Amino acid sequence: LRIQLESEVYQLIQTEADPSVWLLKLVAEPGSGESSREIKGIVSIYVDDLLISSKPPLIKAVYEALTSLWECSKLELASPESPMKFCGLQIEDHEGFTALHQANYEQELLAKYAHETGCQTAPCPANLGAENEGEEPLSGPDVDKDLDKIRAAQALAGELLWLAQRSRLELAFPVNKMSQLLMSSPDKALQIGHHVLQYLRATKGQKLIYHHHPTGHGRHDQLSPARSWRIIEVHTDASFAPDSARSQTGTVIMWDDAAVAWLSHRQATMSASTAEAELGSCFDGMIACEAITDLINEFIGEPAQRYLYNDNISTVQILRVPGGPWRTRALRVRARAVQCRLTHSAFAVRHLSGQFMLGDVCTKSLIAARTRELLELAQVHLSPPADVSAQIRKCFPSGKGGDSTCD
């Protein structure tokens, strides 16, 4: 498909990494089949919805070319006043940045579970000390007694997962812990889920921000290379053996000064030391990064530089010096696997102070101030902090059926 805009001709080229993503490039010379390397726009396809990312004149030209071939609905342009919906996200186009959020879905979720959560709010996404109970699933006749609770917990976990995967990276940890407890302790899983809903009520208006220009070495000059669209940052962290259980991995991937991927999961094996747990998180982070690197490489037209950040000095030293001291010999086999991937996948290892480690938000329960600090570093627009003295808000009856409204 070719698009004409004044005297210039553009061509849509399908990416190799994702067949649902097409690059809009300028044809080098009219009449030739070659296109320039510079990308002028991106067209993303989700079922029968299309998202055209470019400047307004080119967006309208692509839309007109598409409507000449197929019947399409009316063109919608993203704006702060009228966000556009695509793939479960609401998109706002501002001067100098783009914002993503799921405000409508959050409101629907809060209305659905209003009877369970009331009008209470919570300042942090996970309840401290309440998430590490139960690892083995129930078995035997007792399972039948809890089927209704298990189904309710599974439904709530799936609904919250829709948020944690797309726009709320701080929910990755509590939703993961909730998923671990679905069979062994559905009551505890529901308790965590209801706490997350209370947190959502307290943090309305939160948005992921994607600036059009990166911010140098980070907000506090904490990064060794300056951020750019050629650099991918992988922030990896681990919570070592919480309650003597398996460690929890947390990873946040930043590209061009914005969070583009994150994960939180319990490690497959027990770790005997903090360094071993951190090595596992590094390995998981590199695998997650490789899943999106090919698509980013096509966006920038060259191999991206990838930096692996970790806040554990011992782990960074083990990865940099294969021999290492005798005390780390037990970790050499696991470190060798990470080193091989570092060598062949061209990752550079850097130590980053725990104060700035973004992966920390996906590994454990954090107090409200720490959660907000990490989200700000990840370029998340936060709503004003809730008044601590008014965390429990009054509810007033309104009409029949026990419905209530919040003050």
Coordinates of all heavy atoms in Angstrom, one line a residue, residues 250-285:
G250 N 11.9 -9.3 40.0 CA 11.3 -8.1 39.5 C 12.1 -7.4 38.4 O 13.3 -7.2 38.6
T251 N 11.5 -7.1 37.2 CA 12.2 -6.5 36.1 C 11.4 -5.4 35.5 O 10.2 -5.5 35.3 CB 12.5 -7.5 35.0 OG1 13.4 -8.6 35.6 CG2 13.2 -6.9 33.8
V252 N 12.0 -4.2 35.3 CA 11.4 -3.1 34.5 C 12.4 -2.8 33.4 O 13.5 -2.5 33.6 CB 11.2 -1.9 35.4 CG1 10.6 -0.7 34.6 CG2 10.2 -2.2 36.5
I253 N 11.8 -2.7 32.2 CA 12.6 -2.4 31.0 C 12.3 -1.0 30.5 O 11.1 -0.7 30.3 CB 12.4 -3.5 29.9 CG1 12.8 -4.9 30.4 CG2 13.2 -3.1 28.6 CD1 12.5 -6.0 29.4
M254 N 13.3 -0.2 30.4 CA 13.1 1.2 29.9 C 13.7 1.4 28.5 O 14.8 0.9 28.3 CB 13.8 2.2 30.9 CG 13.3 2.1 32.3 SD 11.7 2.8 32.6 CE 12.1 4.6 32.4
W255 N 13.0 2.1 27.7 CA 13.5 2.5 26.4 C 13.1 3.9 26.1 O 11.9 4.3 26.2 CB 12.9 1.5 25.3 CG 13.3 1.9 23.9 CD1 14.6 2.1 23.5 CD2 12.5 2.1 22.8 NE1 14.6 2.5 22.1 CE2 13.4 2.4 21.7 CE3 11.1 2.0 22.5 CZ2 12.9 2.7 20.4 CZ3 10.7 2.2 21.3 CH2 11.5 2.6 20.2
D256 N 14.1 4.7 25.8 CA 13.9 6.1 25.4 C 13.1 6.8 26.6 O 12.2 7.5 26.3 CB 13.1 6.2 24.1 CG 13.3 7.6 23.5 OD1 14.2 8.3 23.8 OD2 12.5 7.9 22.6
D257 N 13.6 6.6 27.8 CA 13.1 7.3 29.0 C 11.6 6.9 29.3 O 10.9 7.7 29.9 CB 13.1 8.8 28.7 CG 13.1 9.6 30.1 OD1 13.5 9.0 31.1 OD2 12.6 10.7 30.0
A258 N 11.2 5.7 29.0 CA 9.9 5.2 29.3 C 9.8 3.7 29.6 O 10.6 3.0 29.0 CB 8.9 5.6 28.1
A259 N 8.9 3.3 30.4 CA 8.8 1.9 30.8 C 8.0 1.2 29.6 O 6.9 1.6 29.3 CB 8.1 1.7 32.1
V260 N 8.6 0.2 29.0 CA 7.9 -0.5 27.9 C 7.6 -1.9 28.2 O 6.8 -2.6 27.5 CB 8.8 -0.4 26.6 CG1 8.9 1.0 26.1 CG2 10.2 -1.0 26.9
A261 N 8.2 -2.5 29.3 CA 7.9 -3.9 29.7 C 8.3 -4.0 31.2 O 9.2 -3.4 31.7 CB 8.6 -4.9 28.8
W262 N 7.6 -4.9 31.9 CA 7.9 -5.2 33.3 C 7.4 -6.6 33.6 O 6.5 -7.1 32.9 CB 7.3 -4.2 34.2 CG 5.9 -3.9 34.0 CD1 4.8 -4.6 34.5 CD2 5.3 -2.9 33.1 NE1 3.6 -4.1 34.1 CE2 3.9 -3.0 33.3 CE3 5.8 -1.9 32.4 CZ2 3.0 -2.1 32.6 CZ3 5.0 -1.0 31.7 CH2 3.6 -1.2 31.8
L263 N 7.9 -7.2 34.6 CA 7.5 -8.5 35.0 C 7.8 -8.8 36.5 O 8.7 -8.1 37.1 CB 8.1 -9.7 34.2 CG 9.6 -9.9 34.3 CD1 10.0 -10.9 35.4 CD2 10.1 -10.4 33.0
S264 N 7.0 -9.6 37.1 CA 7.2 -10.1 38.5 C 6.8 -11.5 38.6 O 5.7 -11.9 38.2 CB 6.4 -9.2 39.5 OG 6.5 -9.6 40.8
H265 N 7.7 -12.4 39.1 CA 7.3 -13.8 39.2 C 8.2 -14.4 40.3 O 9.3 -13.9 40.6 CB 7.4 -14.5 37.9 CG 8.8 -14.7 37.4 ND1 9.6 -15.7 37.7 CD2 9.6 -13.9 36.6 CE1 10.8 -15.6 37.2 NE2 10.8 -14.5 36.5
R266 N 7.8 -15.5 40.8 CA 8.5 -16.3 41.8 C 9.5 -17.2 41.0 O 9.2 -17.8 40.0 CB 7.6 -17.1 42.6 CG 8.3 -17.8 43.8 CD 7.2 -18.5 44.7 NE 6.4 -19.4 44.0 CZ 5.2 -19.9 44.5 NH1 4.8 -19.5 45.6 NH2 4.5 -20.7 43.8
Q267 N 10.8 -17.2 41.5 CA 11.8 -18.0 40.8 C 11.5 -19.5 40.9 O 10.9 -19.9 41.9 CB 13.2 -17.6 41.4 CG 13.6 -16.2 41.1 CD 15.0 -15.9 41.6 OE1 15.7 -16.7 42.2 NE2 15.4 -14.6 41.4
A268 N 12.0 -20.2 39.9 CA 11.7 -21.6 39.8 C 12.4 -22.5 40.9 O 11.9 -23.5 41.3 CB 12.1 -22.2 38.5
T269 N 13.5 -22.0 41.4 CA 14.3 -22.8 42.4 C 14.6 -22.0 43.6 O 14.6 -20.7 43.5 CB 15.6 -23.4 41.8 OG1 16.4 -22.3 41.3 CG2 15.3 -24.3 40.6
M270 N 15.0 -22.6 44.7 CA 15.4 -21.9 45.9 C 16.8 -21.4 45.7 O 17.7 -22.0 45.1 CB 15.4 -22.9 47.1 CG 14.0 -23.2 47.6 SD 13.2 -21.8 48.3 CE 14.2 -21.5 49.7
S271 N 17.0 -20.2 46.2 CA 18.4 -19.6 46.2 C 19.0 -19.6 47.6 O 18.3 -19.4 48.6 CB 18.3 -18.1 45.7 OG 17.8 -18.1 44.4
A272 N 20.3 -19.9 47.6 CA 21.0 -20.0 48.9 C 21.6 -18.7 49.4 O 22.1 -18.6 50.5 CB 22.0 -21.1 48.9
S273 N 21.6 -17.7 48.5 CA 22.2 -16.4 48.9 C 21.5 -15.3 48.1 O 20.9 -15.6 47.1 CB 23.7 -16.4 48.6 OG 24.0 -16.6 47.2
T274 N 21.7 -14.1 48.5 CA 21.2 -13.0 47.8 C 21.8 -12.9 46.4 O 21.1 -12.6 45.4 CB 21.5 -11.7 48.5 OG1 21.0 -11.7 49.8 CG2 20.9 -10.5 47.8
A275 N 23.1 -13.1 46.3 CA 23.8 -13.1 45.0 C 23.2 -14.1 44.0 O 23.0 -13.8 42.8 CB 25.3 -13.3 45.1
E276 N 22.8 -15.3 44.5 CA 22.2 -16.3 43.6 C 20.9 -15.9 43.1 O 20.5 -16.0 42.0 CB 22.2 -17.6 44.3 CG 21.7 -18.8 43.5 CD 21.7 -20.1 44.2 OE1 22.1 -20.1 45.4 OE2 21.3 -21.1 43.5
A277 N 20.1 -15.3 44.0 CA 18.8 -14.8 43.7 C 18.9 -13.6 42.6 O 18.1 -13.6 41.7 CB 18.0 -14.3 44.9
E278 N 19.9 -12.8 42.8 CA 20.1 -11.7 41.9 C 20.5 -12.2 40.5 O 20.2 -11.6 39.5 CB 21.0 -10.6 42.4 CG 20.6 -10.0 43.7 CD 19.5 -8.9 43.5 OE1 19.1 -8.7 42.3 OE2 19.1 -8.3 44.5
L279 N 21.4 -13.2 40.5 CA 21.8 -13.8 39.2 C 20.6 -14.3 38.5 O 20.5 -14.2 37.3 CB 22.8 -14.9 39.5 CG 24.2 -14.6 39.7 CD1 25.0 -15.8 40.1 CD2 24.8 -13.9 38.5
G280 N 19.6 -15.0 39.2 CA 18.4 -15.5 38.6 C 17.6 -14.3 38.0 O 17.0 -14.5 36.9
S281 N 17.5 -13.2 38.7 CA 16.8 -12.1 38.2 C 17.4 -11.5 36.9 O 16.7 -11.1 36.0 CB 16.6 -11.0 39.3 OG 17.8 -10.4 39.5
C282 N 18.7 -11.5 36.9 CA 19.5 -11.0 35.7 C 19.2 -11.8 34.5 O 18.9 -11.3 33.4 CB 21.0 -10.9 36.0 SG 21.5 -9.7 37.2
F283 N 19.2 -13.1 34.7 CA 18.9 -14.1 33.6 C 17.4 -13.8 33.1 O 17.2 -13.8 31.9 CB 19.1 -15.5 34.1 CG 19.1 -16.5 33.0 CD1 20.3 -16.7 32.3 CD2 18.0 -17.2 32.7 CE1 20.3 -17.6 31.2 CE2 18.0 -18.2 31.6 CZ 19.2 -18.4 30.9
D284 N 16.5 -13.7 34.0 CA 15.1 -13.5 33.6 C 14.9 -12.2 32.9 O 14.2 -12.1 31.9 CB 14.2 -13.5 34.9 CG 14.1 -14.9 35.5 OD1 14.4 -15.9 34.8 OD2 13.9 -15.0 36.7
G285 N 15.6 -11.1 33.4 CA 15.5 -9.8 32.8 C 16.1 -9.8 31.3 O 15.5 -9.2 30.5

